[in-house]
Amino acid sequence: MPFGYNGKILRVDLSKGEIKVEEPDEHFYRTYGGGSSLGAYYLLKEMSPGVDPFSPDNIIVFAGSVVSGAPVPGFARSGIVFKSPLTGAIADTQAAGYFGPELKFAGFDAIIVKGKSEKPVYLWIQDGEVEIKDASHIWGKTTGEAQDTIRTELGDERIIVAGIGQAGENLVRYACVLNNLKHAWGRLGAGAVMGSKNLKAIAVRGHRKLEMKDRETVLSIARHFSSNFMKESPDNRGLHDLGTAQYVMGQNEDGQLPTRNFQTGYFEKAENISGERMRDTVLTKREGCYACSVRCKRVVKADSSYKVDPAYGGPEYETIGMLGSDCGVDDLVAVCKANELCNKYGLDTISTGASIAFAMEAYEKGIISKGDTGGIDLRFGNADAMVKMVEVIARREGIGDVLAEGVKRAAEKLGKGAEKFSLHVKGEELPAHDARVKGHLALMYALSPMGADHVQAEHDGAFTPGADSFFADRVEPLGILEPLELSSIDHKKVRRFFYFQNVFGMVDTLTLCLFAFAPCRYFTFKELVDLVRAITGWEMSLWELIKLGERKVAMFRAFNVREGFTKEDDWLPERMFEGILTGPRKGQKVDKDKLREAIDLYYEMVGWNEDGVPTKGRLAELDLFWVAEELERQAKYKK
Amino acid sequence: MPFGYNGKILRVDLSKGEIKVEEPDEHFYRTYGGGSSLGAYYLLKEMSPGVDPFSPDNIIVFAGSVVSGAPVPGFARSGIVFKSPLTGAIADTQAAGYFGPELKFAGFDAIIVKGKSEKPVYLWIQDGEVEIKDASHIWGKTTGEAQDTIRTELGDERIIVAGIGQAGENLVRYACVLNNLKHAWGRLGAGAVMGSKNLKAIAVRGHRKLEMKDRETVLSIARHFSSNFMKESPDNRGLHDLGTAQYVMGQNEDGQLPTRNFQTGYFEKAENISGERMRDTVLTKREGCYACSVRCKRVVKADSSYKVDPAYGGPEYETIGMLGSDCGVDDLVAVCKANELCNKYGLDTISTGASIAFAMEAYEKGIISKGDTGGIDLRFGNADAMVKMVEVIARREGIGDVLAEGVKRAAEKLGKGAEKFSLHVKGEELPAHDARVKGHLALMYALSPMGADHVQAEHDGAFTPGADSFFADRVEPLGILEPLELSSIDHKKVRRFFYFQNVFGMVDTLTLCLFAFAPCRYFTFKELVDLVRAITGWEMSLWELIKLGERKVAMFRAFNVREGFTKEDDWLPERMFEGILTGPRKGQKVDKDKLREAIDLYYEMVGWNEDGVPTKGRLAELDLFWVAEELERQAKYKK
């Protein structure tokens, strides 16, 4: 490996107030890459099984990757890896924006945080210098107030702040972390873990440049992206024009827009919360991430039914699906307001919307009443109730305190059959994609180590008919040569899911943007390989890249096995086996027998034994024999 | 897949005298590629388990690949796939020379031969036209006489003839097939299967050109090879200068040159049979294969102790090792003569040498005597005896009839402990590489679906110290980032073997030359991918290419499972667990416990269950679910 990747990893022990820097060798960097895999490495190596996610012994890793900071669209992401307070499983949550590149410019690939500070603190990292600073004065503040204060007191408006709001401080189990107030590491409670450690924020500023082996190739591929992304497909143009909200209408027309807690997939008022409506009413600006020309992020402003602060961005498709249709709400301004509040308090919009939708169904079914809700009329479609619920969840007030635990724990607490419509996998709430329609998604939700995660692999698992030539260089290099039926769950679908999960695992390891790098999106595999080679100087191939992803999946599974997760946890919520109530997909549901068969096949494919434990041979193949040794120590292999 | 690969496959039923042509679709070609995989496809699909290899129901497939015929060094090979009369397992044997490209120019990717002709015949294929022609007049003739007659009667001296000699007619179980009299499909008895079908030869002539998507890229990479191959490394220069015989001295100096039936790895007179000695004495010319500038093939001539006909080429390293040192013979001219006779009669030089060495040890141990040998004094080192034995084996005379069955059957017949020094795996004789020295080779011999095959993966499984920079782009793209100790058998070695086996499986599927394309040889993976893309127009990646190899391994294993092979067959001959008797490696042996552990690990890695049956999930991943269904039908999966 002649080029020489020289990276640094920052270690912070908040209990001891200790800061250390280590410099792993190239073998480490090339094997673990960054993001989800790098995080999993430290969690498996340095954390014991059974740790309470809110205990000081939980480890939280903030990681870019070996390619972070390259001036290429799609390289702006970074991941946070930790043991989730929502699921008890390993979690990786990724955000774009500016944090990952800025951390690299400040000299670090990753930050590993352990322990718990006695009083609120924030980390200040600038050009290799690191300080643990008092945060007592910003504790209890919104993300926006905290960011303003930090920037002002450090005297630099360009500092990138990754911070939490009151939800994280209050240990809402799905509290998130945001950078620039609108790029969310959304899912699984990273914000709550920061809160549990009294860590309010990480502020970063860097002035170093990324060394690259072949700068010209990198820039040339980046320029090609910038000149062609919008021309490539209507989907790409839509991403700029409408943001991810472009999918609202299509999803609804195909009967798969989650509506009223997934009772149906057709929302009669979808148009009111569509991307087109947003563009034509509240949209004021399109924003992007580091080095990216697409500007798929929304900025919205309103002063009608609600006053919406543009500083917190605008809603994504997931946010609209969960806080809008899934709550039966068709008031776009209300959705924008709820989005603003989620970003202010630091709440995952998906789990927040899912929890409110769950509560609405419980309310309509008479399991909870106005007495429980503090007088809120919590029926589906009540926009005002929805917005109020965001506040009470963030503050853990009344019913909000119950819902702050997530739908799994809330259903257990409420009882009376609420579990039947508590839509989660392993404790993680379902996002705005319906596994009854997309067979690929049924596998993804059931088999993701993280729970009901919609970015573990692509959603569809099918070619878009007629678009084969566009996909040739984006899917075929995996050896996937034929279109599949959208809702099927058969051996071909399992294969495709397995391959795509590995690709997405690689994308999350290199902390790349899915819109640029996931298969079927913009970049071809060939360009990705060329980029990684040109940046790192390593003789990498698509083979090695996909193995990065396989390694991630194996490490995540191994972590969960160690925590006691078993095959029984790999399953879907009951509603997925019940027919969709209305719309074009009426009656459609997941076939239990086919799903069981597919899961068994997947276990063999991915190299897990009957108990769902990655085999020693499989781990050895992935250069993870040390993980097999750890599972052996933990007596996870039957004799 | 927009370019459109239009290939043709020729089907010949010798029992019915029927000729058919079929045109599989692109999905087929891209999934099975050619060579070993294409052959395995037909054997699994169209042959029932339990067929006697010499029955008309055995299928023999002659196959180039989708890239055959491209004017690139290393693209000259083709494979013959069949059920081996030596092992009862599936066999693939590959030869370079001219047959594969010529078959493509004549319009075909492969020929599938079934049935048995009533009388001797040969096939005549010219530019899409096919004829079954009488061969009664060349039956009983040497390969050379047959080739001359065919070329003369068809009136074209440039016809490529793949033919058998008397050994194939006499069903010597390791009879081979040769093209141009010196390029041998050597191992496992393809010649005997042709003999059993009364098929003397296949004569081919073609004038079509290979269509290529991007001819310029192909030519430019080919030119780069031709200009640089020799400069790249001493090993490459040696290949031209000394042929594969360049390895004799190095192997001996490291104590791993098989000597006297593998009793030792040090031959005191190795210099006399070295590549250097050949160059300085009998070598008259260097010859190459289609489109290749290396000319690693030898032409030798002698008229001293023996008269050696240059038409049959000169000995390779394997030939020298097996007919020379392994027989204790240091007379190079005798080795050249034995090589000539093997090529004349159509005998595999490796199994022939191994069988003679076995017989010599039996003779020295008193298990056989002059009474059995027809008066031949069969001690180690008797060059004359060695040469005579080649003749009696080809003709199945006396002891030759016993040895024509291979060492496994011969040892069973002789009894008296002969099995202890009968060196074979699954019935295939060990070639001239010692598994006691090379840990990688211990895995390869034990685990190859074909038996003791030295080209299932690389021999070493270790970087050559100090040569890391040369290997960076040749090994690292697989994710193999560190040097391994030569003799180790641990999890890292298993991983490396698994990866290399898959690469070699791909090389044998695309019928590429190992000296050009095996990892650590000339071409980088990047160049290989570029070549395949430029020739086929398919958006292929290294990922897809390596999956070709995995698919091959899986199909070969599935075939053997169907034939009743089990885990017990995956093991080494006893001698490999006994110390080497003399030389620098004295006392070195394979550790049984480590080997057992490594095999168990490999099973998990490759995706075989405890019984050694490829799992359904693994087969589904390789787009081979139909193979799982077949194994299910054959009740190979326990309930």
Side-chain angles (χ1 to χ4, degrees):
Chain A
M1 295 182 287
F3 176 60
Y5 184 84
N6 298 308
K8 286 198 174 75
I9 288 179
L10 178 62
R11 284 178 169 278
V12 178
D13 186 325
L14 291 172
S15 298
K16 298 181 189 162
E18 203 173 72
I19 289 165
K20 283 183 186 169
V21 175
E22 65 188 26
E23 301 187 38
D25 62 17
E26 274 194 285
H27 191 140
F28 171 86
Y29 276 113
R30 190 156 168 176
T31 307
Y32 301 103
S36 48
S37 291
L38 187 145
Y41 173 88
Y42 284 100
L43 263 63
L44 274 166
K45 279 267 183 185
E46 302 187 4
M47 196 165 137
S48 305
V51 163
D52 186 299
F54 289 145
S55 99
D57 294 333
N58 197 356
I59 296 175
I60 184 164
V61 178
F62 303 80
S65 79
V66 292
V67 296
S68 289
V72 182
F75 279 59
R77 289 201 165 214
S78 58
I80 306 183
V81 184
F82 54 101
K83 181 173 176 178
S84 166
L86 200 56
T87 61
I90 190 168
D92 166 44
T93 179
Q94 303 234 340
Y98 297 84
F99 185 81
E102 197 73 23
L103 185 62
K104 181 67 75 78
F105 301 147
F108 299 104
D109 296 297
I111 313 166
I112 297 152
V113 179
K114 296 182 183 181
K116 177 184 178 172
S117 172
E118 270 180 39
K119 48 171 199 174
V121 292
Y122 72 92
L123 274 186
W124 168 224
I125 302 168
Q126 184 174 224
D127 296 324
E129 299 296 313
V130 185
E131 226 178 309
I132 300 174
K133 292 187 75 82
D134 180 54
S136 305
H137 56 305
I138 48 173
W139 200 253
K141 305 286 188 190
T142 65
T143 52
E145 291 160 345
Q147 175 173 289
D148 288 348
T149 306
I150 288 170
R151 285 178 172 170
T152 304
E153 74 189 23
L154 296 175
D156 185 347
E157 283 305 301
R158 301 187 65 180
I159 288 168
I160 304 302
V161 178
I164 63 171
Q166 296 92 327
E169 297 174 12
N170 294 335
L171 307 184
V172 175
R173 287 186 187 267
Y174 44 86
C176 73
V177 186
L178 296 107
N179 74 76
N180 278 18
L181 310 185
K182 44 177 105 73
H183 303 286
W185 291 274
R187 305 222 66 192
L188 292 166
V193 174
M194 280 180 72
S196 76
K197 295 186 174 311
N198 275 328
L199 179 63
K200 180 71 177 174
I202 300 178
V204 182
R205 186 77 172 104
H207 298 84
R208 302 182 186 187
K209 272 193 182 164
L210 179 70
E211 275 185 77
M212 292 180 282
K213 168 78 172 177
D214 175 3
R215 193 174 175 83
E216 248 329 295
T217 295
V218 174
L219 294 179
S220 132
I221 297 176
R223 276 193 298 267
H224 187 264
F225 178 103
S226 298
S227 312
N228 293 285
F229 183 85
M230 307 276 200
K231 297 179 204 158
E232 188 82 32
S233 74
D235 201 70
N236 287 1
R237 272 191 300 283
L239 209 52
H240 171 80
D241 186 33
L242 304 175
T244 52
Q246 70 170 315
Y247 301 116
V248 172
M249 291 310 290
Q251 290 278 94
N252 195 52
E253 278 156 24
D254 193 31
Q256 50 168 310
L257 182 69
T259 299
R260 297 181 202 94
N261 201 32
F262 278 89
Q263 293 183 77
T264 180
Y266 185 73
F267 185 45
E268 54 290 345
K269 300 171 189 164
E271 209 173 340
N272 297 342
I273 52 171
S274 66
E276 292 81 353
R277 183 64 56 88
M278 187 174 11
R279 177 192 59 196
D280 299 340
T281 57
V282 293
L283 187 76
T284 60
K285 203 177 159 191
R286 295 173 175 88
E287 283 187 353
C289 303
Y290 171 75
C292 185
S293 52
V294 177
R295 290 182 285 143
C296 71
K297 302 285 178 168
R298 310 290 90 179
V299 178
V300 298
K301 193 176 172 183
D303 201 355
S304 51
S305 50
Y306 301 90
K307 186 175 163 67
V308 180
D309 182 349
Y312 294 92
E316 301 275 354
Y317 164 76
E318 297 297 327
T319 307
I320 294 173
M322 301 312 293
L323 291 163
S325 56
D326 204 42
C327 289
V329 169
D330 76 327
D331 179 345
L332 182 60
V333 176
V335 172
C336 291
K337 182 66 191 177
N339 179 67
E340 177 216 288
L341 292 175
C342 282
N343 290 355
K344 236 175 191 161
Y345 296 131
L347 278 174
D348 173 29
T349 60
I350 296 174
S351 286
T352 302
S355 298
I356 297 170
F358 162 79
M360 284 174 162
E361 185 164 350
Y363 183 84
E364 293 205 348
K365 288 201 157 67
I367 296 173
I368 56 174
S369 65
K370 272 194 185 165
D372 302 299
T373 64
I376 299 172
D377 181 23
L378 203 53
R379 38 182 183 78
F380 283 115
N382 185 343
D384 210 38
M386 182 273 289
V387 174
K388 284 209 181 82
M389 289 304 289
V390 176
E391 304 250 11
V392 300
I393 289 171
R395 291 200 289 266
R396 278 189 174 269
E397 288 172 3
I399 186 76
D401 192 40
V402 177
L403 297 177
E405 294 289 293
V407 300
K408 179 173 181 246
R409 287 177 177 80
E412 284 163 7
K413 178 138 193 185
L414 297 182
K416 301 177 194 168
E419 283 173 18
K420 288 204 168 167
F421 53 87
S422 156
L423 287 152
H424 70 86
V425 177
K426 299 182 176 70
E428 185 182 38
E429 288 77 15
L430 257 63
H433 299 274
D434 197 325
R436 291 170 291 192
V437 177
K438 294 165 178 162
H440 206 246
L441 210 59
L443 297 173
M444 187 150 87
Y445 288 166
L447 290 164
S448 157
M450 301 208 283
D453 179 345
H454 66 293
V455 284
Q456 274 283 304
E458 64 166 354
H459 307 156
D460 287 14
F463 283 92
T464 302
D468 282 14
S469 70
F470 174 69
F471 289 146
D473 50 6
R474 290 167 172 83
V475 181
E476 287 183 12
L478 295 175
I480 294 175
L481 306 177
E482 56 190 334
L484 303 181
E485 201 275 314
L486 186 66
S487 301
S488 69
I489 302 181
D490 62 0
H491 65 90
K492 291 184 184 190
K493 193 58 72 74
V494 175
R495 174 178 185 247
R496 188 165 165 133
F497 165 66
F498 173 61
Y499 277 23
F500 274 58
Q501 187 187 32
N502 295 330
V503 172
F504 278 64
M506 172 266 288
V507 165
D508 289 346
T509 292
L510 297 179
T511 60
L512 307 175
C513 171
L514 294 173
F515 294 119
F517 285 100
C520 307
R521 305 305 308 203
Y522 182 76
F523 281 118
T524 62
F525 283 121
K526 190 173 181 311
E527 285 166 319
L528 171 56
V529 171
D530 287 346
L531 278 168
V532 175
R533 291 170 68 102
I535 295 167
T536 62
W538 296 331
E539 296 285 353
M540 287 188 107
S541 66
L542 183 60
W543 175 265
E544 201 180 348
L545 288 182
I546 292 177
K547 289 290 160 184
L548 279 181
E550 288 192 37
R551 195 172 290 126
K552 178 232 162 175
V553 174
M555 285 194 290
F556 272 50
R557 181 70 181 190
F559 183 94
N560 290 355
V561 164
R562 214 175 53 161
E563 296 292 337
F565 282 83
T566 67
K567 195 166 184 177
E568 278 61 52
D569 300 299
D570 296 335
W571 201 237
L572 295 178
E574 200 49 37
R575 183 149 287 170
M576 293 298 108
F577 306 111
E578 296 162 359
I580 292 173
L581 285 184
T582 61
R585 296 282 186 175
K586 185 176 170 183
Q588 200 162 322
K589 58 187 170 184
V590 176
D591 182 315
K592 273 190 187 177
D593 294 337
K594 282 187 184 164
L595 181 64
R596 170 55 52 214
E597 210 176 305
I599 288 174
D600 289 345
L601 201 68
Y602 172 85
Y603 272 41
E604 289 182 344
M605 203 177 281
V606 74
W608 299 346
N609 66 22
E610 287 175 341
D611 302 320
V613 183
T615 64
K616 287 182 199 174
R618 182 68 177 146
L619 292 167
E621 195 233 299
L622 297 170
D623 209 359
L624 293 174
F625 196 71
W626 62 271
V627 175
E629 289 170 330
E630 165 66 5
L631 293 178
E632 180 92 73
R633 271 193 298 276
Q634 303 287 342
K636 293 298 178 185
Y637 294 114
K638 275 187 214 152
K639 283 301 149 198
Chain B
M1 295 181 287
F3 175 61
Y5 185 84
N6 298 308
K8 285 197 174 74
I9 287 177
L10 177 62
R11 284 178 169 278
V12 178
D13 186 323
L14 291 173
S15 298
K16 298 180 186 161
E18 206 174 69
I19 290 165
K20 284 183 183 166
V21 174
E22 65 186 27
E23 301 187 37
D25 63 17
E26 273 193 287
H27 191 141
F28 171 86
Y29 276 113
R30 190 156 167 177
T31 307
Y32 301 103
S36 49
S37 290
L38 187 145
Y41 174 87
Y42 285 100
L43 263 62
L44 275 166
K45 279 267 182 186
E46 303 187 4
M47 195 165 136
S48 304
V51 162
D52 184 299
F54 289 144
S55 98
D57 294 333
N58 197 356
I59 296 175
I60 183 164
V61 178
F62 304 79
S65 80
V66 293
V67 295
S68 289
V72 182
F75 279 58
R77 288 201 166 215
S78 59
I80 306 182
V81 185
F82 54 101
K83 181 171 174 180
S84 166
L86 200 57
T87 62
I90 191 168
D92 166 43
T93 178
Q94 304 235 339
Y98 297 84
F99 185 81
E102 196 74 23
L103 185 63
K104 181 67 76 75
F105 302 147
F108 299 103
D109 296 297
I111 313 167
I112 297 152
V113 179
K114 295 182 181 181
K116 176 183 177 172
S117 172
E118 270 181 37
K119 48 171 197 175
V121 293
Y122 71 93
L123 274 185
W124 166 224
I125 303 168
Q126 184 176 223
D127 294 326
E129 300 296 313
V130 185
E131 225 179 307
I132 301 174
K133 293 186 76 79
D134 180 53
S136 304
H137 56 306
I138 47 172
W139 200 254
K141 305 286 187 192
T142 64
T143 53
E145 290 160 345
Q147 175 174 290
D148 288 347
T149 305
I150 289 171
R151 285 178 173 171
T152 304
E153 75 190 22
L154 297 175
D156 186 346
E157 283 305 300
R158 300 188 63 181
I159 289 167
I160 304 301
V161 178
I164 62 170
Q166 294 93 327
E169 298 173 12
N170 295 334
L171 307 184
V172 175
R173 286 185 188 268
Y174 43 86
C176 72
V177 186
L178 297 107
N179 75 75
N180 279 18
L181 311 185
K182 44 177 105 71
H183 302 286
W185 291 274
R187 306 222 66 192
L188 291 166
V193 173
M194 281 181 71
S196 77
K197 296 186 175 308
N198 275 327
L199 179 63
K200 180 70 177 175
I202 300 178
V204 184
R205 187 77 174 99
H207 298 84
R208 301 182 186 186
K209 272 193 181 164
L210 179 71
E211 275 185 76
M212 292 181 283
K213 169 79 171 175
D214 175 3
R215 193 174 176 82
E216 249 330 294
T217 295
V218 174
L219 295 180
S220 130
I221 297 176
R223 276 192 297 267
H224 187 264
F225 178 103
S226 299
S227 312
N228 293 284
F229 183 84
M230 307 276 200
K231 297 179 204 156
E232 188 81 31
S233 73
D235 200 69
N236 287 0
R237 273 192 299 283
L239 209 52
H240 171 78
D241 187 31
L242 304 176
T244 52
Q246 70 171 314
Y247 301 117
V248 172
M249 291 309 291
Q251 290 278 93
N252 195 53
E253 277 157 25
D254 193 30
Q256 50 167 313
L257 182 69
T259 300
R260 295 181 204 94
N261 201 32
F262 279 90
Q263 294 183 75
T264 182
Y266 184 73
F267 185 44
E268 54 289 345
K269 298 171 190 165
E271 209 174 342
N272 296 341
I273 54 171
S274 65
E276 292 81 354
R277 182 63 57 87
M278 187 173 11
R279 177 192 59 196
D280 300 339
T281 57
V282 293
L283 187 76
T284 60
K285 203 176 157 190
R286 296 173 175 88
E287 283 188 352
C289 302
Y290 171 75
C292 185
S293 52
V294 178
R295 291 183 285 143
C296 70
K297 302 285 180 170
R298 310 289 91 178
V299 177
V300 298
K301 193 177 171 184
D303 200 356
S304 51
S305 50
Y306 301 89
K307 187 175 161 69
V308 179
D309 182 349
Y312 293 93
E316 301 275 354
Y317 164 76
E318 297 296 328
T319 307
I320 293 173
M322 300 312 292
L323 292 163
S325 57
D326 205 42
C327 289
V329 168
D330 77 326
D331 178 345
L332 182 60
V333 176
V335 171
C336 291
K337 183 65 192 178
N339 179 67
E340 177 215 288
L341 292 175
C342 282
N343 290 355
K344 235 174 190 162
Y345 296 130
L347 278 174
D348 173 29
T349 59
I350 297 174
S351 286
T352 303
S355 298
I356 297 171
F358 161 79
M360 285 175 161
E361 184 164 351
Y363 183 84
E364 292 204 348
K365 287 201 157 69
I367 296 172
I368 55 173
S369 65
K370 273 193 186 169
D372 302 299
T373 64
I376 299 172
D377 181 23
L378 203 54
R379 37 183 182 78
F380 283 115
N382 185 344
D384 209 39
M386 182 274 288
V387 174
K388 284 208 181 84
M389 290 302 291
V390 177
E391 304 250 10
V392 299
I393 289 170
R395 290 199 291 265
R396 277 190 175 268
E397 287 171 4
I399 187 77
D401 191 41
V402 177
L403 297 177
E405 294 289 292
V407 300
K408 179 172 180 247
R409 287 176 177 82
E412 283 163 8
K413 179 137 191 185
L414 296 182
K416 301 178 195 168
E419 283 173 17
K420 287 203 167 167
F421 52 87
S422 156
L423 287 153
H424 70 86
V425 177
K426 299 183 176 72
E428 186 182 37
E429 288 77 16
L430 258 62
H433 299 274
D434 197 325
R436 291 170 291 192
V437 177
K438 294 165 178 163
H440 205 248
L441 209 61
L443 298 172
M444 185 150 91
Y445 288 166
L447 290 163
S448 157
M450 301 209 283
D453 180 345
H454 66 292
V455 284
Q456 275 282 304
E458 64 166 353
H459 308 157
D460 287 15
F463 283 93
T464 303
D468 282 13
S469 70
F470 173 69
F471 290 145
D473 50 6
R474 291 166 171 84
V475 180
E476 286 182 14
L478 296 175
I480 293 175
L481 306 178
E482 57 189 334
L484 303 181
E485 201 274 314
L486 186 66
S487 301
S488 70
I489 302 181
D490 61 2
H491 64 90
K492 292 185 182 189
K493 192 58 73 73
V494 175
R495 174 179 186 246
R496 187 163 166 136
F497 165 66
F498 173 60
Y499 277 24
F500 275 57
Q501 186 187 32
N502 295 330
V503 172
F504 278 65
M506 172 266 286
V507 165
D508 288 345
T509 292
L510 297 180
T511 59
L512 307 175
C513 171
L514 296 172
F515 293 119
F517 284 101
C520 309
R521 304 307 307 206
Y522 182 77
F523 281 117
T524 63
F525 283 120
K526 189 171 183 310
E527 286 167 319
L528 172 57
V529 171
D530 288 347
L531 277 169
V532 175
R533 292 169 68 102
I535 295 168
T536 62
W538 295 332
E539 296 285 352
M540 287 187 107
S541 65
L542 184 60
W543 174 266
E544 201 179 348
L545 288 183
I546 292 178
K547 289 290 162 185
L548 279 181
E550 289 192 36
R551 195 171 289 125
K552 179 233 161 174
V553 174
M555 286 195 287
F556 272 50
R557 181 70 180 191
F559 183 94
N560 290 354
V561 164
R562 212 173 58 160
E563 296 292 336
F565 282 83
T566 68
K567 195 167 184 177
E568 277 62 51
D569 299 299
D570 297 335
W571 200 237
L572 295 178
E574 201 48 38
R575 181 149 287 168
M576 293 297 107
F577 306 112
E578 297 162 359
I580 292 173
L581 287 184
T582 62
R585 297 281 185 175
K586 187 177 169 181
Q588 200 161 321
K589 57 188 170 183
V590 176
D591 182 314
K592 275 190 185 177
D593 294 337
K594 283 189 183 163
L595 181 63
R596 169 56 52 215
E597 211 176 304
I599 288 174
D600 289 345
L601 200 70
Y602 173 86
Y603 272 41
E604 289 181 346
M605 203 178 280
V606 74
W608 299 347
N609 67 21
E610 286 175 341
D611 303 320
V613 183
T615 65
K616 288 182 199 173
R618 181 68 177 146
L619 291 168
E621 194 234 300
L622 297 170
D623 209 359
L624 292 175
F625 197 71
W626 62 271
V627 175
E629 289 170 331
E630 164 67 5
L631 293 178
E632 181 93 73
R633 270 193 299 277
Q634 303 287 344
K636 293 300 178 184
Y637 294 113
K638 275 188 215 154
K639 284 300 147 197

